[in-house]
Short mmCIF file of all heavy atoms in Angstrom, two decimals:
data_model
loop_
_atom_site.label_atom_id
_atom_site.label_comp_id
_atom_site.label_asym_id
_atom_site.label_seq_id
_atom_site.Cartn_x
_atom_site.Cartn_y
_atom_site.Cartn_z
N ILE B 188 93.76 -17.34 -119.67
CA ILE B 188 93.90 -15.95 -120.12
C ILE B 188 94.89 -15.93 -121.28
O ILE B 188 96.03 -16.37 -121.13
CB ILE B 188 94.40 -15.03 -118.98
CG1 ILE B 188 93.47 -15.13 -117.77
CG2 ILE B 188 94.52 -13.59 -119.47
CD1 ILE B 188 93.93 -14.33 -116.56
N LEU B 189 94.44 -15.46 -122.42
CA LEU B 189 95.33 -15.38 -123.59
C LEU B 189 96.38 -14.31 -123.36
O LEU B 189 96.08 -13.20 -122.92
CB LEU B 189 94.51 -15.03 -124.83
CG LEU B 189 93.90 -16.24 -125.54
CD1 LEU B 189 92.70 -15.82 -126.35
CD2 LEU B 189 94.94 -16.92 -126.42
N ARG B 190 97.63 -14.67 -123.66
CA ARG B 190 98.73 -13.73 -123.48
C ARG B 190 99.65 -13.81 -124.68
O ARG B 190 99.70 -14.82 -125.36
CB ARG B 190 99.56 -14.14 -122.25
CG ARG B 190 98.81 -14.17 -120.96
CD ARG B 190 99.61 -13.39 -119.92
NE ARG B 190 98.94 -13.40 -118.62
CZ ARG B 190 97.99 -12.54 -118.28
NH1 ARG B 190 97.57 -11.63 -119.13
NH2 ARG B 190 97.43 -12.60 -117.08
N LYS B 191 100.42 -12.76 -124.86
CA LYS B 191 101.50 -12.82 -125.85
C LYS B 191 102.82 -12.81 -125.08
O LYS B 191 102.97 -12.04 -124.13
CB LYS B 191 101.44 -11.60 -126.77
CG LYS B 191 100.57 -11.86 -127.98
CD LYS B 191 100.77 -10.86 -129.08
CE LYS B 191 99.86 -11.19 -130.24
NZ LYS B 191 99.11 -10.09 -130.76
N ASN B 192 103.77 -13.67 -125.48
CA ASN B 192 105.06 -13.62 -124.81
C ASN B 192 105.94 -12.57 -125.49
O ASN B 192 105.51 -11.89 -126.42
CB ASN B 192 105.72 -15.01 -124.78
CG ASN B 192 106.08 -15.52 -126.16
OD1 ASN B 192 106.00 -14.78 -127.15
ND2 ASN B 192 106.48 -16.77 -126.25
N THR B 193 107.19 -12.46 -125.03
CA THR B 193 108.05 -11.39 -125.56
C THR B 193 108.34 -11.58 -127.05
O THR B 193 108.65 -10.63 -127.75
CB THR B 193 109.37 -11.31 -124.77
OG1 THR B 193 109.81 -12.65 -124.51
CG2 THR B 193 109.18 -10.58 -123.46
N GLU B 194 108.23 -12.83 -127.54
CA GLU B 194 108.44 -13.07 -128.98
C GLU B 194 107.17 -12.79 -129.77
O GLU B 194 107.13 -13.02 -130.98
CB GLU B 194 108.86 -14.53 -129.25
CG GLU B 194 110.32 -14.84 -128.96
CD GLU B 194 110.58 -15.07 -127.47
OE1 GLU B 194 109.90 -15.95 -126.91
OE2 GLU B 194 111.42 -14.36 -126.90
N GLY B 195 106.11 -12.38 -129.08
CA GLY B 195 104.85 -12.10 -129.77
C GLY B 195 104.03 -13.35 -130.06
O GLY B 195 103.04 -13.29 -130.79
N GLU B 196 104.43 -14.49 -129.47
CA GLU B 196 103.65 -15.71 -129.69
C GLU B 196 102.47 -15.76 -128.73
O GLU B 196 102.54 -15.22 -127.62
CB GLU B 196 104.53 -16.95 -129.46
CG GLU B 196 105.64 -17.10 -130.47
CD GLU B 196 106.80 -17.92 -129.92
OE1 GLU B 196 106.91 -18.09 -128.69
OE2 GLU B 196 107.61 -18.37 -130.74
N ILE B 197 101.43 -16.48 -129.19
CA ILE B 197 100.22 -16.56 -128.37
C ILE B 197 100.27 -17.77 -127.45
O ILE B 197 100.73 -18.85 -127.84
CB ILE B 197 98.99 -16.67 -129.27
CG1 ILE B 197 98.87 -15.40 -130.11
CG2 ILE B 197 97.72 -16.88 -128.46
CD1 ILE B 197 97.94 -15.56 -131.26
N GLY B 198 99.79 -17.58 -126.25
CA GLY B 198 99.70 -18.69 -125.31
C GLY B 198 98.70 -18.36 -124.22
O GLY B 198 97.95 -17.39 -124.33
N PHE B 199 98.70 -19.19 -123.19
CA PHE B 199 97.70 -19.02 -122.14
C PHE B 199 98.33 -19.01 -120.76
O PHE B 199 99.23 -19.81 -120.48
CB PHE B 199 96.71 -20.19 -122.14
CG PHE B 199 96.05 -20.42 -123.45
CD1 PHE B 199 96.62 -21.28 -124.38
CD2 PHE B 199 94.87 -19.76 -123.77
CE1 PHE B 199 96.01 -21.50 -125.60
CE2 PHE B 199 94.26 -19.97 -124.99
CZ PHE B 199 94.83 -20.84 -125.92
N GLU B 200 97.83 -18.14 -119.91
CA GLU B 200 98.07 -18.32 -118.48
C GLU B 200 97.01 -19.32 -118.03
O GLU B 200 95.83 -19.19 -118.38
CB GLU B 200 97.90 -16.99 -117.73
CG GLU B 200 98.05 -17.15 -116.23
CD GLU B 200 97.83 -15.84 -115.46
OE1 GLU B 200 97.93 -14.76 -116.07
OE2 GLU B 200 97.54 -15.93 -114.25
N VAL B 201 97.43 -20.34 -117.28
CA VAL B 201 96.49 -21.39 -116.90
C VAL B 201 96.24 -21.32 -115.39
O VAL B 201 97.17 -21.37 -114.58
CB VAL B 201 97.04 -22.79 -117.25
CG1 VAL B 201 96.03 -23.87 -116.89
CG2 VAL B 201 97.41 -22.87 -118.73
N ILE B 202 94.96 -21.19 -115.05
CA ILE B 202 94.54 -21.03 -113.66
C ILE B 202 93.66 -22.22 -113.30
O ILE B 202 92.79 -22.59 -114.09
CB ILE B 202 93.75 -19.71 -113.51
CG1 ILE B 202 94.66 -18.54 -113.87
CG2 ILE B 202 93.18 -19.55 -112.11
CD1 ILE B 202 93.90 -17.27 -114.21
N VAL B 203 93.87 -22.84 -112.16
CA VAL B 203 92.99 -23.95 -111.79
C VAL B 203 92.39 -23.76 -110.40
O VAL B 203 92.94 -23.03 -109.57
CB VAL B 203 93.69 -25.35 -111.79
CG1 VAL B 203 94.24 -25.70 -113.15
CG2 VAL B 203 94.76 -25.42 -110.72
N GLY B 204 91.30 -24.43 -110.19
CA GLY B 204 90.75 -24.57 -108.83
C GLY B 204 89.92 -23.43 -108.32
O GLY B 204 89.72 -23.30 -107.13
N GLY B 205 89.40 -22.59 -109.21
CA GLY B 205 88.46 -21.57 -108.75
C GLY B 205 87.06 -22.15 -108.67
O GLY B 205 86.77 -23.16 -109.31
N GLY B 206 86.20 -21.52 -107.90
CA GLY B 206 84.82 -21.99 -107.87
C GLY B 206 84.04 -21.34 -106.76
O GLY B 206 84.61 -20.81 -105.81
N MET B 207 82.72 -21.39 -106.89
CA MET B 207 81.84 -20.75 -105.90
C MET B 207 81.28 -21.81 -104.96
O MET B 207 82.04 -22.52 -104.33
CB MET B 207 80.77 -19.98 -106.64
CG MET B 207 81.39 -18.97 -107.60
SD MET B 207 80.50 -17.44 -107.66
CE MET B 207 81.39 -16.61 -108.98
N GLY B 208 79.98 -21.93 -104.86
CA GLY B 208 79.40 -22.94 -103.97
C GLY B 208 79.69 -22.66 -102.51
O GLY B 208 80.01 -21.54 -102.13
N ARG B 209 79.61 -23.72 -101.69
CA ARG B 209 79.77 -23.47 -100.25
C ARG B 209 81.21 -23.19 -99.85
O ARG B 209 81.47 -22.72 -98.76
CB ARG B 209 79.14 -24.58 -99.41
CG ARG B 209 79.73 -25.96 -99.58
CD ARG B 209 78.85 -26.95 -98.84
NE ARG B 209 77.51 -26.98 -99.45
CZ ARG B 209 76.42 -27.42 -98.85
NH1 ARG B 209 76.47 -27.86 -97.60
NH2 ARG B 209 75.28 -27.44 -99.48
N THR B 210 82.16 -23.54 -100.72
CA THR B 210 83.56 -23.22 -100.44
C THR B 210 84.10 -22.34 -101.56
O THR B 210 84.68 -22.83 -102.51
CB THR B 210 84.42 -24.51 -100.39
OG1 THR B 210 83.65 -25.55 -99.80
CG2 THR B 210 85.70 -24.30 -99.63
N PRO B 211 83.88 -21.03 -101.48
CA PRO B 211 84.34 -20.17 -102.58
C PRO B 211 85.87 -20.07 -102.60
O PRO B 211 86.48 -19.86 -101.55
CB PRO B 211 83.71 -18.82 -102.26
CG PRO B 211 83.41 -18.86 -100.80
CD PRO B 211 83.15 -20.28 -100.45
#
Side-chain angles (χ1 to χ4, degrees):
Chain B
I188 304 176
L189 274 157
R190 300 230 181 275
K191 271 196 180 131
N192 66 9
T193 41
E194 282 81 55
E196 293 155 343
I197 297 164
F199 305 91
E200 177 182 340
V201 182
I202 298 161
V203 300
M207 304 218 186
R209 62 189 63 200
T210 323

